[in-house]
Amino acid sequence: MAGGPFTSLFRIYASRNNVHSARVLLSNQNFRSMRQFNNWVLETHQFSTSFDVPRRQFSTSLVDIIHSHSPLKNPQFTIFNPADARQFSSSVDDEDGNRVKLNENKSLDSVENGGLEGVDGNSVGAGDDNESCVCDSMVIEEKQSDDVEGGNNIVGKKNLAFRDPVELYRELLTAEKNDNLKRSDWDTLQEIFSCFSKSGWAANQALGIYIGKSFFHTAVNRFRNFFFKKCSAELAMHLVSLGASDKAVRFLFPIFVEYCIEEFPDEIKRFRNMISSADLTKPHTWFPFARAMKRKIIYHCGPTNSGKTYNALQKFMEAKKGIYCSPLRLLAMEVFDKVNALGVYCSLYTGQEKKHVPFSNHIACTVEMVSTEELYDVAVIDEIQMMADSCRGYAWTRALLGLKADEIHLCGDPSVLDIVKKICSETGDELYEQHYERFKPLVVEAKTLLGDLKNVRSGDCIVAFSRREIFEVRMAIEKHTNHRCCVIYGALPPETRRQQANLFNDQDNEYDVLVASDAVGMGLNLNIRRVVFNSLSKYNGDKIVPVPPSQVKQIAGRAGRRGSRYPDGLTTTLQLEDLDYLIDCLKQPFENVKKVGLFPFFEQVELFAGQLPDISFAHLLEKFGENCRLDGSYFLCRHDHIKKVANMLEKVQGLSLEDRFNFCFAPVNFRDPKAMYHLHRFAALYSIKVPVSIAMGMPKGSARNDAELQDLETKHQVLSVYLWLSQHFKKEIFPYKKKAEEMAIDIADLLGQSLIKACWKPESRQGGNPRPQQKEDGHERHKGDGYRRPNSLVKIYEKKRQEKELLQGHSQKVVV
Ligand SMILES: Nc1ncnc2c1ncn2[C@@H]1O[C@H](COP(=O)(O)OP(=O)(O)OP(=O)(O)O)[C@@H](O)[C@H]1O
Ligand SMILES: [Mg+2]
């Protein structure tokens, strides 16, 4: 890597001004006024090490030196000489670090006013640093006059606030214990150290020199002991005059830094290695091959039922080689069928199945399975707003950053448009936007079902947010009306969901009502005339919460599909009191997402594990979460479910780290103890290298009650996990793939048959979560059917309604 103009200029400047050494300061935050060294402060942003650059190394590339110390690929840094207020700021921002932007001769004032920009464009020098900036310019003035007097050694003895902390620390090292302080002064000093120890600012800044939060208090205690033994009267009195305040903490901090650098080199090195191995910054650099391409990204942006996927699929089918990335297995299967039916050979690739169609150049896959190795002409990433999903978002982010395709079509709502723009500016891809409107507006029926399921009509989809609620609604409808219901919910295998969807879509049968969970929310083409929300609150794994507006929109948008029996979509609620919330949700603009999900690859976790060799995998993941560094546009995806599986597999000996990592991604429902038991058994057999058996009997027939139905669901889950493992591990260890496939098809069939017959009361899953339907969750009885629905959100929105008086009356239709 060549040095570029910045380095040459620095070299000329340094030689002309007889600079002996420069110190690079260390920080992921802005540390700029921390220290001075022979009149030089070399400043770094989002950069995290501390080292001196001696004069003899000025002849080599300064950029090289900085890069060799930096865990970041493209650190930005500023170098300035306080003696004459000259400052150079530089950002090395091209791929090989050669292109250097040079700003010469900015006055320090512009720096004080936040004239510099950090790596992520944040203004530097704001907030916490203001005080130290002011202090810094005073240091400069002081030093300039001292220099005139001749030499560094006589630097401002008069005013400790302006002394070089390095010198102060050196003096402390050689000082004798001070016995002349009053008791009250010692007490004040104790208070100052207690304040220091509790200071969030100091703990954060200490991260810049790799003093981790867990070690910070120990370091401060040791520093206090050292300080109390050595502190001069002058120093103590200066601190006492500041009192237990932020000023005292900020005064002490640079001395603390010196102490730590000398006393804790091993701890610093260990933490530094740990941090750099948990570095998730600049994820676009993880895919150098995709970066070497000039990709064209087309964002099909619009609400539901507006033709986004349709248009993207046209390009996919026209391409020589294409890949379609789906949010759901079911949708991947739908595209696989549709595309093959149109004469474009297409294979199917999901976590559980690989259907290779001979001579095919097209693939429909689930987004988690997308290959970033293969080259494609056209890729489609459907439901791109899922990048912001707290659990699965990383799969969409990875697909967008890593796909090697000349053209990538993104389909989704506008919520991630801005962040996709930002990502494209980092990757260098061209972005084109294509905006869509709904084919037909969605109409809200203000009358609602008036709390009575007897008002259900043909073509209705009643949306409920738990399995139990779904079956209760279905029972009530079938008992009190002549309608027959299909059901779709998350625990059903995709094949059964599809069978139920077909049954509902098909006009030539009596199944004309659908009762479904939010599992219908994404992309599926269903002949729905009206979406009726049975309730608008759901259990989020912890408590009952209102369904988020984005999800309400997505689900309501299922009503009325172009080309279906019902091109005009309607939506409403069961209860009048829920209507305002529905209207509120539909009227809300799409949120503008600020961050999208990331998750480390196995190799990154492995690197991190090297720093913490003796801890459990679950603990390792936790530590990774605590210590990983992320750029401002990304968050680390939630991995509670992974940790749950990791904990369960903890006692299974003989699994490598990679095995554990893979097992933890198996699509198991961790709330289902039977499914977890089987996963444990699979891992135990795998660990002793015994071919893994399915060891699960086939049910004799369709379910006769809810317990048997749940048993079928679990059995399918177990087979799905087996199939997933057989695709992710060596075939020899999971030799019964074929058998598992056959069993899974049969069980999906039995589930379909069972659902057609089902007319029993739902039961709770054993060992599962508290049921949202239980009394303590505040659910109420409904019209003597034995059916209970969640409490309305009326209280929450009552106030809002009064204020807004959204509706004039409840008889007219509202078009959203
Ligand atoms: N130009 C078209 N010609 C014929 N049918 C179309 C056309 N555009 C869309 N459709 C049909 O309209 C329906 C909705 O289109 P599409 O699935 O592309 O919507 P979308 O915007 O992706 O909605 P979603 O939010 O459900 O993903 C589909 O059944 C699709 O086949
Ligand atoms: Mg779509």
Side-chain angles (χ1 to χ4, degrees):
M1 194 191 322
F6 177 82
T7 318
S8 325
L9 193 67
F10 168 76
R11 238 184 284 142
I12 294 163
Y13 188 80
S15 100
R16 201 188 297 148
N17 291 281
N18 204 17
V19 174
H20 302 294
S21 173
R23 170 154 283 196
V24 177
L25 282 184
L26 22 99
S27 183
N28 354 356
Q29 302 183 18
N30 170 28
F31 237 70
R32 54 176 220 79
S33 56
M34 268 291 306
R35 287 184 44 187
Q36 300 168 68
F37 198 79
N38 283 358
N39 284 355
W40 275 92
V41 176
L42 184 60
E43 174 203 2
T44 61
H45 313 298
Q46 294 220 340
F47 180 62
S48 25
T49 188
S50 161
F51 59 95
D52 294 333
V53 184
R55 185 184 180 83
R56 73 190 132 76
Q57 285 190 3
F58 290 172
S59 58
T60 60
S61 158
L62 188 67
V63 176
D64 279 349
I65 296 168
I66 288 171
H67 275 252
S68 71
H69 283 79
S70 170
L72 301 176
K73 289 258 175 353
N74 293 319
Q76 286 203 351
F77 48 90
T78 305
I79 181 163
F80 62 90
N81 182 358
D84 63 1
R86 273 174 72 105
Q87 171 222 323
F88 311 100
S89 69
S90 150
S91 68
V92 184
D93 58 355
D94 68 356
E95 273 159 22
D96 55 12
N98 288 335
R99 201 176 69 206
V100 176
K101 277 193 249 153
L102 181 66
N103 289 318
E104 193 195 339
N105 249 352
K106 269 191 191 167
S107 78
L108 272 175
D109 287 346
S110 69
V111 183
E112 308 308 342
N113 296 333
L116 294 176
E117 290 226 310
V119 171
D120 53 5
N122 295 330
S123 208
V124 164
D128 269 0
D129 291 316
N130 279 346
E131 197 182 305
S132 49
C133 292
V134 173
C135 182
D136 204 31
S137 62
M138 289 153 82
V139 178
I140 293 154
E141 283 161 26
E142 181 88 6
K143 282 177 73 78
Q144 280 173 320
S145 59
D146 286 335
D147 283 348
V148 173
E149 283 171 37
N152 282 338
N153 293 344
I154 58 159
V155 174
K157 290 266 184 209
K158 313 146 258 180
N159 193 340
L160 276 170
F162 304 144
R163 291 278 308 278
D164 181 350
V166 186
E167 279 174 34
L168 285 175
Y169 174 66
R170 297 278 154 227
E171 283 176 17
L172 278 176
L173 279 176
T174 52
E176 295 296 323
K177 186 170 167 59
N178 176 352
D179 293 324
N180 300 332
L181 287 181
K182 285 190 286 183
R183 166 110 213 147
S184 62
D185 295 338
W186 283 118
D187 288 347
T188 309
L189 286 178
Q190 286 285 11
E191 277 172 37
I192 290 173
F193 272 92
S194 154
C195 194
F196 192 100
S197 185
K198 288 182 201 141
S199 162
W201 174 85
N204 268 334
Q205 298 289 306
L207 288 173
I209 51 161
Y210 296 107
I211 295 293
K213 293 220 163 142
S214 58
F215 185 64
F216 177 71
H217 293 288
T218 312
V220 174
N221 278 343
R222 299 262 302 270
F223 176 53
R224 185 191 53 204
N225 295 344
F226 160 80
F227 191 88
F228 279 14
K229 271 193 209 140
K230 303 283 192 169
C231 153
S232 70
E234 186 191 14
L235 193 52
M237 290 324 292
H238 177 67
L239 275 169
V240 168
S241 75
L242 296 175
S245 63
D246 281 356
K247 273 194 174 162
V249 171
R250 284 168 193 248
F251 172 77
L252 270 180
F253 189 75
I255 309 174
F256 171 71
V257 167
E258 287 308 316
Y259 175 78
C260 290
I261 289 171
E262 286 220 359
E263 287 296 310
F264 309 121
D266 293 343
E267 282 82 357
I268 287 175
K269 192 172 166 206
R270 203 172 308 131
F271 190 61
R272 178 183 159 166
N273 288 342
M274 195 162 95
I275 295 291
S276 58
S277 62
D279 188 354
L280 296 185
T281 56
K282 305 224 179 321
H284 61 277
T285 60
W286 301 350
F287 303 95
F289 291 106
R291 289 302 70 76
M293 298 175 75
K294 187 93 187 145
R295 306 180 309 172
K296 183 176 168 189
I297 314 272
I298 301 101
Y299 195 129
H300 300 265
C301 180
T304 52
N305 195 16
S306 56
K308 306 178 295 289
T309 307
Y310 179 91
N311 281 298
L313 283 178
Q314 298 302 312
K315 299 288 176 195
F316 165 76
M317 289 190 290
E318 284 163 18
K320 275 199 193 129
K321 190 170 175 187
I323 184 160
Y324 167 80
C325 310
S326 158
L328 301 169
R329 275 177 77 194
L330 188 48
L331 212 53
M333 288 172 177
E334 194 180 293
V335 168
F336 166 78
D337 286 343
K338 198 188 276 178
V339 167
N340 277 305
L342 291 171
V344 177
Y345 295 151
C346 178
S347 295
L348 177 70
Y349 193 13
T350 74
Q352 284 81 353
E353 69 209 309
K354 225 175 189 175
K355 274 191 194 158
H356 179 69
V357 171
F359 311 110
S360 62
N361 285 322
H362 289 71
I363 294 178
C365 68
T366 40
V367 66
E368 277 87 356
M369 300 308 289
V370 66
S371 160
T372 55
E373 304 294 316
E374 280 284 316
L375 205 61
Y376 301 99
D377 297 309
V378 169
V380 177
I381 310 177
D382 210 352
E383 307 292 347
I384 188 68
Q385 73 279 355
M386 287 287 287
M387 284 175 100
D389 185 77
S390 62
C391 298
R392 291 176 67 205
Y394 69 93
W396 277 263
T397 308
R398 173 177 163 270
L400 174 59
L401 293 174
L403 258 169
K404 288 186 344 195
D406 295 323
E407 215 174 279
I408 302 182
H409 294 260
L410 312 176
C411 308
D413 69 36
S415 59
V416 292
L417 179 58
D418 279 354
I419 203 145
V420 166
K421 278 185 195 164
K422 189 162 184 255
I423 290 173
C424 287
S425 72
E426 285 165 354
T427 56
D429 298 317
E430 286 174 89
L431 177 67
Y432 299 86
E433 295 169 34
Q434 227 162 288
H435 290 269
Y436 294 77
E437 293 297 331
R438 256 186 84 91
F439 291 126
K440 292 275 181 79
L442 186 63
V443 176
V444 178
E445 270 193 358
K447 190 173 170 211
T448 75
L449 263 57
L450 299 169
D452 196 340
L453 286 169
K454 282 185 188 142
N455 292 325
V456 159
R457 296 277 173 274
S458 189
D460 278 353
C461 171
I462 317 295
V463 177
F465 291 95
S466 74
R467 184 182 179 282
R468 190 184 173 89
E469 219 181 308
I470 286 169
F471 279 101
E472 285 175 340
V473 168
R474 176 198 163 138
M475 261 185 75
I477 293 173
E478 294 196 340
K479 187 170 169 191
H480 296 289
T481 71
N482 291 326
H483 299 288
R484 299 297 310 271
C485 302
C486 300
V487 292
I488 293 181
Y489 53 93
L492 290 178
E495 295 83 357
T496 315
R497 287 191 228 177
R498 188 141 71 145
Q499 180 251 9
Q500 292 286 301
N502 290 342
L503 202 61
F504 173 69
N505 282 343
D506 187 356
Q507 266 183 299
D508 303 330
N509 64 45
E510 51 190 335
Y511 290 88
D512 59 348
V513 170
L514 180 63
V515 186
S517 71
D518 43 356
V520 290
M522 257 183 297
L524 277 181
N525 283 307
L526 292 158
N527 290 338
I528 298 172
R529 184 181 72 96
R530 177 172 70 170
V531 167
V532 181
F533 288 91
N534 182 61
S535 65
L536 278 162
S537 32
K538 71 172 187 176
Y539 181 66
N540 71 353
D542 182 28
K543 53 182 187 301
I544 303 277
V545 293
V547 182
S550 57
Q551 211 177 348
V552 172
K553 270 188 186 183
Q554 182 90 14
I555 298 169
R558 300 296 107 208
R561 299 291 274 185
R562 174 170 172 171
S564 83
R565 213 182 326 156
Y566 306 111
D568 301 304
L570 300 172
T571 185
T572 191
T573 53
L574 173 66
Q575 304 287 349
L576 195 58
E577 65 229 30
D578 284 342
L579 188 68
D580 284 351
Y581 182 62
L582 173 64
I583 293 173
D584 269 5
C585 290
L586 297 178
K587 283 193 167 166
Q588 275 192 28
F590 285 100
E591 62 172 325
N592 195 3
V593 164
K594 296 277 180 293
K595 288 177 190 237
V596 295
L598 268 191
F599 202 74
F601 302 135
F602 168 68
E603 289 76 8
Q604 288 164 312
V605 172
E606 189 182 32
L607 191 69
F608 184 71
Q611 308 301 323
L612 295 165
D614 298 321
I615 64 171
S616 71
F617 183 53
H619 196 189
L620 185 77
L621 288 174
E622 209 166 286
K623 282 273 169 203
F624 191 98
E626 281 165 22
N627 292 300
C628 75
R629 289 197 305 171
L630 293 149
D631 290 338
S633 312
Y634 298 93
F635 64 84
L636 184 71
C637 280
R638 276 177 59 179
H639 44 285
D640 330 8
H641 59 299
I642 297 177
K643 275 196 273 183
K644 286 213 166 77
V645 178
N647 273 327
M648 180 186 73
L649 299 182
E650 192 52 47
K651 296 249 152 55
V652 180
Q653 303 285 317
L655 291 176
S656 70
L657 188 70
E658 189 167 9
D659 293 338
R660 284 186 197 281
F661 188 83
N662 282 335
F663 269 102
C664 286
F665 276 90
V668 68
N669 175 4
F670 66 80
R671 295 202 180 99
D672 185 339
K674 282 188 200 154
M676 287 292 264
Y677 160 79
H678 280 280
L679 178 61
H680 186 277
R681 195 173 56 77
F682 294 157
L685 289 174
Y686 175 90
S687 72
I688 51 169
K689 305 207 167 24
V690 169
V692 179
S693 59
I694 300 170
M696 195 180 68
M698 263 304 280
K700 292 198 177 61
S702 57
R704 287 160 301 175
N705 53 45
D706 197 53
E708 287 184 5
L709 186 71
Q710 287 190 27
D711 190 50
L712 284 176
E713 286 167 20
T714 297
K715 284 197 153 89
H716 196 280
Q717 240 275 290
V718 173
L719 293 166
S720 166
V721 169
Y722 189 95
L723 288 169
W724 190 93
L725 294 170
S726 72
Q727 289 227 106
H728 289 76
F729 289 92
K730 281 188 189 145
K731 282 189 201 124
E732 306 85 76
I733 310 265
F734 291 91
Y736 304 108
K737 183 176 171 205
K738 193 110 203 87
K739 188 173 165 210
E741 274 169 2
E742 288 163 9
M743 284 173 78
I745 291 171
D746 290 346
I747 291 182
D749 239 28
L750 288 176
L751 273 164
Q753 292 170 28
S754 312
L755 289 174
I756 289 172
K757 289 191 293 185
C759 57
W760 52 74
K761 272 193 177 182
E763 288 180 11
S764 63
R765 272 193 184 273
Q766 52 173 135
N769 275 306
R771 283 163 295 147
Q773 290 76 14
Q774 284 165 352
K775 215 174 182 178
E776 60 268 29
D777 293 325
H779 288 219
E780 65 190 24
R781 295 224 160 246
H782 169 74
K783 301 225 165 179
D785 295 334
Y787 156 70
R788 300 190 307 186
R789 64 178 290 279
N791 260 351
S792 156
L793 294 165
V794 65
K795 285 193 183 110
I796 309 169
Y797 290 92
E798 196 173 30
K799 224 175 117 200
K800 254 186 169 181
R801 194 167 60 245
Q802 281 167 359
E803 285 166 9
K804 288 188 180 173
E805 293 185 343
L806 267 173
L807 294 170
Q808 299 303 313
H810 282 136
S811 53
Q812 81 247 28
K813 287 183 173 178
V814 181
V815 178
V816 180

